[in-house]
Amino acid sequence: MSKSSNENYQKWLAVYGRLVEFSLEDWLLMAPYIKIGHITADTMLFEQGEKISSVYFLLEGYGRYFYLDETGNERNKSLLQKGGAFSCLSCYLEEQPSPFSTQALTDSVIAEIRYADLVTVSEQNLNWGRFVRKIYEQLVLKKEKREAALLQLSAKERYLRFITENQSLSRSVALRHIAMYLGITDVSLSRIRKELGLT
């Protein structure tokens, strides 16, 4: 194995080894299909209306999913940190254009894998199959928690939960992105932070 391939393997293990104990043999099955690279802050991984075929795994950095309405207003769908993934199931399964955009919020390291290749290898290898299942379980769990918070908690309670569960993320991205994600205005978040003695 080349030095660069070994470095990529170690980067992958450092982030996703907590989900699945990937052996070197597991890695070598997927290695021909993975492209790992650095991207700068504000880079768009894919945009609303674009057809995509890859999944982008976040090895370092922070990012977001967001919607853009016809008047140019942005609404954050999700905030992402190391260990997450940028994906679009309707793009892969229904060949639809993406209903949202994705963007790096900081300089980041991304591993790109075509969805078709990820599925093919995961059907041949137990650990990659486990990995795909666990990634989607995480996504569904995050979505369920977010929906419950929006329906059941006050804005202040949502913010407190967010900073408790996402300490590093809450210190690393602009407050306007957090406010959008929580479904409140910048002014409301500033007021909440003042009440909590965080300003």
Side-chain angles (χ1 to χ4, degrees):
M1 183 166 60
S2 69
K3 181 181 177 183
S4 63
S5 182
N6 183 58
E7 287 173 353
N8 287 342
Y9 174 49
Q10 295 305 321
K11 284 179 188 174
W12 185 269
L13 279 184
V15 179
Y16 295 108
R18 63 185 171 75
L19 292 180
V20 174
E21 293 183 23
F22 289 103
S23 68
L24 181 58
E25 290 74 21
D26 296 330
W27 172 256
L28 291 174
L29 281 174
M30 189 66 81
Y33 308 111
I34 296 180
K35 290 187 278 187
I36 295 180
H38 290 80
I39 58 173
T40 57
D42 298 325
T43 298
M44 304 292 283
L45 277 303
F46 54 87
E47 297 188 48
Q48 195 167 312
E50 183 180 342
K51 287 196 172 182
I52 65 159
S53 58
S54 293
V55 184
Y56 302 87
F57 295 94
L58 193 55
L59 300 178
E60 290 178 23
Y62 301 92
R64 67 172 178 146
Y65 289 75
F66 68 98
Y67 294 101
L68 192 65
D69 69 20
E70 60 279 357
T71 58
N73 295 311
E74 296 178 358
R75 297 286 182 268
N76 281 344
K77 173 183 185 292
S78 184
L79 296 176
L80 214 61
Q81 55 192 328
K82 179 170 71 175
F86 295 104
S87 65
C88 173
L89 278 178
S90 60
C91 298
Y92 315 133
L93 303 180
E94 299 176 345
E95 298 183 1
Q96 296 294 315
S98 177
F100 46 75
S101 297
T102 57
Q103 180 184 40
L105 294 174
T106 61
D107 292 350
S108 302
V109 177
I110 298 290
E112 178 183 355
I113 308 174
R114 286 182 64 250
Y115 182 75
D117 294 328
L118 184 62
V119 169
T120 297
V121 175
S122 70
E123 288 174 345
Q124 298 169 353
N125 178 272
L126 184 60
N127 275 340
W128 281 105
R130 286 179 179 149
F131 171 72
V132 169
R133 177 177 56 82
K134 288 187 176 187
I135 283 289
Y136 281 109
E137 285 173 351
Q138 283 185 347
L139 288 172
V140 170
L141 188 58
K142 183 178 179 180
K143 181 175 169 56
E144 284 183 0
K145 285 183 175 181
R146 174 166 158 74
E147 288 173 350
L150 286 170
L151 293 170
Q152 298 176 331
L153 302 180
S154 69
K156 185 176 181 178
E157 289 169 332
R158 292 199 300 274
Y159 181 61
L160 283 169
R161 177 178 286 184
F162 178 84
I163 61 175
T164 299
E165 295 180 350
N166 304 280
Q167 292 181 20
S168 177
L169 178 60
S170 67
R171 293 190 303 264
S172 303
V173 302
L175 289 174
R176 69 183 185 88
H177 288 305
I178 295 172
M180 270 194 279
Y181 175 69
L182 295 174
I184 59 178
T185 65
D186 296 5
V187 173
S188 295
L189 182 56
S190 293
R191 187 175 63 250
I192 290 167
R193 286 173 53 80
K194 188 174 181 180
E195 289 173 7
L196 295 170
L198 298 175
T199 57

